[in-house]
Amino acid sequence: MYTQGLDQKDKPAAAGQGTETPEQLEAFQARIDAEEKIEAKDWMPEAYRRTLIRQISQHAHSEIIGMQPEGNWLTRAPTLKRKAILLAKIQDEAGHGLYLYSAAETLGVSRDQMVADLLNGKAKYSSIFNYPALTWADIGTIGWLVDGAAIMNQIPLCRCSYGPYSRAMIRICKEESFHQRQGFDILVSLCNGTDKQKAMAQDALDRWWWPSLMMFGPSDKDSKHSAQSMAWKIKRFSNDELRQKFIDVTVPQAEFLGLKVPDDKLAFDESTGHYRHGEIDWQEFLDVLAGNGPCNRQRMAKRCKAHDDGAWVREAARAYATKHTAKHAA
Amino acid sequence: MSDQEWPLYEVFIRSKSGLSHRHAGSIHAADDQMALDAARDTYTRRSEGVSIWVVRSSQIVASDPAETAAFFDPAQDKIYRHPTFYDIPDGVENL
């Protein structure tokens, strides 16, 4: 998921800057057009490298921060089974973060640099994780909608032109499907339960629907980086195309659950075969990206604390390794 | 000291016996044992492997992509290494 980074501000794209010759850029584009994968040590334009570092690291940060709203519910999951499943899902998110950090590192940025950029607020993560998970139904809804939107976004990334990113995405997509289904499974239980449980599910959908649609990033008409990313085959579909696909598959699932999507303008258009939907509140999206969502500060404070609290562990592991290396050498 | 990054390891996994190890990704670890444990937790959560190799990334010697053409050139003009190079006379079997 989490590729809103493509659409955020960056230094002006400086294609052709420095020593890049038109011949090199042309040869690179020819490889892309021929659907050849670009690998870590291959020549690539600086702007291509920068775009990927920004997108992949943001994606990785999102996986890591994404553990917080769910981790919150580990000790309150209603059964041992649900708890074990949620624990496995959160462990997957950590794994996804690690695959992605590794992929970004192949582009020449260090892990420490990426983590530092997250902690000092320079790097972004997906807007969606700045919303709170208030009830158990939120855990179901996050799996169903947030991971569902993620899958929609990520499947085309499996064909991304950059080899290490594409391989990481293939792994992630395989695992993400479990996440979505476990979420839907929670909602099926709640919607077949008491009126109170069903109301809890409806309340969660009411709060998560719009933020989930925002996960696809700004509308195409406002999306700055899309054209170049499309040409480089980092991106294969536009934000609006993916958002529409997501709505088309998700609305019938909501109907199955007997839940109402909180959009009065939502209607199936027979002529196009797609759902028409109401206007997204882009001001809210911008506010959350700017750091003013409901949980931005809390998420960052928690991530910084975890980093600081782990310092002694990193130090001890290194001291242990040094001691044993010395022993072997002796 | 804690701010210094742990070394990077490349991870190779044998998915089942009979197959060779294949590159799965990389991880950071302070030492070899931690690298193995982290590789297991990161890359085999769904029983993807029966054996793991980890090797310090700095220990890998790789060919240079910029030199690919020249490096592999000697194999280009030796088409006689492939069985399809040879014409088999009609009527000859089991060759």
Side-chain angles (χ1 to χ4, degrees):
Chain A
M1 63 179 88
Y2 324 143
T3 51
Q4 291 160 342
L6 268 183
D7 304 299
Q8 286 163 17
K9 60 179 185 300
D10 185 27
K11 289 170 214 126
Q17 87 180 56
T19 57
E20 290 168 9
T21 65
E23 291 76 27
Q24 278 176 314
L25 293 170
E26 215 168 282
F28 180 79
Q29 189 61 47
R31 290 191 66 192
I32 300 272
D33 292 342
E35 295 287 333
E36 262 182 58
K37 294 282 184 212
I38 307 303
E39 293 294 343
K41 301 269 160 60
D42 293 354
W43 187 88
M44 61 186 84
E46 262 321 292
Y48 178 83
R49 184 187 303 276
R50 266 211 325 270
T51 300
L52 277 169
I53 289 176
R54 188 185 56 212
Q55 176 170 338
I56 301 173
S57 64
Q58 179 184 340
H59 194 157
H61 298 328
S62 299
E63 301 282 358
I64 300 300
I65 298 288
M67 293 193 283
Q68 290 189 31
E70 299 185 309
N72 219 10
W73 279 90
L74 272 176
T75 55
R76 289 176 281 164
T79 65
L80 187 58
K81 183 184 102 176
R82 295 284 189 204
K83 179 174 175 158
I85 293 173
L86 186 57
L87 197 56
K89 178 184 190 281
I90 295 170
Q91 195 191 13
D92 274 355
E93 307 296 2
H96 296 177
L98 294 181
Y99 308 157
L100 289 161
Y101 281 131
S102 296
E105 283 176 87
T106 64
L107 291 159
V109 61
S110 75
R111 178 82 56 102
D112 279 354
Q113 185 60 53
M114 287 186 276
V115 172
D117 284 349
L118 173 66
L119 298 181
N120 68 26
K122 206 177 129 200
K124 300 282 181 216
Y125 54 89
S126 176
S127 58
I128 195 75
F129 299 115
N130 292 312
Y131 292 86
L134 299 178
T135 71
W136 175 248
D138 286 37
I139 297 304
T141 310
I142 288 172
W144 172 41
L145 296 183
V146 175
D147 290 295
I151 291 172
M152 207 51 95
N153 229 328
Q154 287 170 348
I155 285 178
L157 288 174
C158 294
R159 295 191 293 126
C160 162
S161 61
Y162 188 56
Y165 191 28
S166 127
R167 290 191 288 275
M169 291 318 306
I170 291 169
R171 270 194 99 81
I172 290 175
C173 281
K174 279 189 195 156
E175 302 182 350
E176 206 74 64
S177 176
F178 142 56
H179 298 179
Q180 190 186 22
R181 288 184 185 191
Q182 66 86 34
F184 195 73
D185 188 62
I186 290 173
L187 291 174
V188 168
S189 294
L190 289 174
C191 290
N192 288 326
T194 63
D195 288 350
K196 230 174 150 180
Q197 285 173 316
K198 191 158 184 183
M200 190 192 271
Q202 181 65 56
D203 167 62
L205 175 58
D206 290 346
R207 285 181 289 107
W208 287 93
W209 176 256
W210 292 105
S212 298
L213 297 188
M214 293 174 198
M215 283 176 63
F216 295 93
S219 171
D220 293 350
K221 57 183 193 308
D222 303 317
S223 183
K224 284 173 248 166
H225 295 277
S226 281
Q228 182 59 75
S229 286
M230 291 270 206
W232 279 332
K233 299 193 178 171
I234 294 172
K235 201 170 169 158
R236 300 263 178 179
F237 297 98
S238 77
N239 295 351
D240 286 338
E241 281 171 326
L242 290 169
R243 187 167 14 246
Q244 184 65 53
K245 254 185 168 168
F246 173 74
I247 294 171
D248 288 344
V249 303
T250 308
V251 171
Q253 293 165 357
E255 282 166 4
F256 173 88
L257 292 170
L259 298 176
K260 191 186 170 302
V261 172
D263 178 357
D264 292 335
K265 298 226 170 66
L266 190 77
F268 189 71
D269 186 337
E270 295 280 357
S271 64
T272 61
H274 296 296
Y275 283 89
R276 273 175 288 141
H277 62 89
E279 189 58 31
I280 292 169
D281 180 357
W282 291 115
Q283 192 51 51
E284 174 180 328
F285 176 68
L286 294 176
D287 287 345
V288 175
L289 280 189
N292 300 315
C295 300
N296 296 56
R297 286 170 195 82
Q298 184 187 329
R299 299 287 186 245
M300 283 313 299
K302 202 163 183 178
R303 181 66 193 83
C304 290
K305 182 173 187 302
H307 187 78
D308 293 344
D309 289 353
W312 73 269
V313 180
R314 295 192 292 276
E315 212 162 307
R318 187 171 272 283
Y320 180 83
T322 309
K323 189 173 103 185
H324 281 259
T325 313
K327 225 188 226 169
H328 277 294
Chain B
M1 181 160 197
S2 67
D3 285 341
Q4 205 184 336
E5 199 164 85
W6 287 342
L8 189 66
Y9 286 78
E10 297 302 319
V11 179
F12 299 83
I13 293 172
R14 184 202 296 286
S15 57
K16 61 180 187 183
S17 49
L19 299 178
S20 34
H21 286 73
R22 223 177 135 184
H23 187 240
S26 52
I27 43 109
H28 286 274
D31 60 37
D32 295 352
Q33 186 58 47
M34 187 193 273
L36 271 179
D37 293 345
R40 176 200 59 197
D41 293 345
T42 308
Y43 292 105
T44 64
R45 287 193 303 283
R46 287 171 175 77
S47 313
E48 288 96 333
V50 294
S51 163
I52 298 177
W53 291 345
V54 290
V55 58
R56 291 259 186 127
S57 308
S58 58
Q59 295 292 312
I60 290 184
V61 181
S63 63
D64 178 358
E67 301 291 326
T68 298
F71 189 70
F72 292 102
D73 176 68
Q76 287 296 323
D77 58 354
K78 297 179 180 60
I79 50 172
Y80 44 81
R81 282 201 157 122
H82 299 278
T84 46
F85 175 75
Y86 301 92
D87 290 327
I88 308 296
D90 286 344
V92 177
E93 288 177 19
N94 302 318
L95 197 69

